[in-house]
Amino acid sequence: MTTSGRLAALSVVVAIGDVAAYALLLRVAIVRNHPEGYVVAFALAAALAALAVVRARARRWPAWLALGLSSLLLVAGAWFNFVGARVPDAPPALRVGERPPDFTLPDAAGRPVSLADYRGKKPVVLVFYRGYW
């Protein structure tokens, strides 16, 4: 096998391995919340395939095929992770200093707590975060 063929094969292995690793590790929060590593791996696969195309003297189609696959995965992975899966921006429902509407939510022990219970008694800090569970 030529150097170009080895580079093309390595590019495909990196790209497909990247997809498999992402699918297998999707339940791990640090992996799911930081997709930059996968996009970098797709970029590495595309760079290896581009190098294979440059080095190919004859039979360039395997290198071009590897470049097409890795480029497609790079674009699709980048779009999915940085555009498609992004939390949409929502305008704030309240302005600074505006009084919030009353609501009731369970506390850490599961007991219902109403915002009206604290109004005028204690300062209240509300923290909402997007969690994965």
Side-chain angles (χ1 to χ4, degrees):
M1 184 181 275
T2 65
T3 303
S4 173
R6 281 191 216 112
L7 285 171
L10 181 60
S11 169
V12 170
V13 167
V14 168
I16 292 175
D18 192 26
V19 171
Y22 190 74
L24 290 172
L25 298 174
L26 192 59
R27 293 179 187 249
V28 178
I30 192 79
V31 171
R32 183 181 50 246
N33 294 339
H34 297 283
E36 304 87 13
Y38 292 99
V39 176
V40 168
F42 285 139
L44 174 67
L48 287 170
L51 186 59
V53 168
V54 170
R55 291 207 171 187
R57 302 218 190 293
R59 281 191 60 199
R60 289 184 145 198
W61 68 268
W64 281 109
L65 190 63
L67 181 59
L69 174 70
S70 58
S71 297
L72 177 70
L73 288 173
L74 173 62
V75 169
W79 180 87
F80 175 76
N81 286 309
F82 301 122
V83 178
R86 218 180 107 212
V87 177
D89 293 331
L94 297 173
R95 306 256 185 256
V96 175
E98 191 176 343
R99 188 173 211 151
D102 189 34
F103 59 87
T104 303
L105 293 172
D107 66 4
R111 296 179 305 255
V113 177
S114 176
L115 183 61
D117 297 340
Y118 293 97
R119 206 165 266 171
K121 298 177 185 172
K122 299 180 179 181
V124 176
V125 176
L126 297 174
V127 177
F128 295 97
Y129 63 95
R130 179 179 164 193
Y132 294 100
W133 46 80

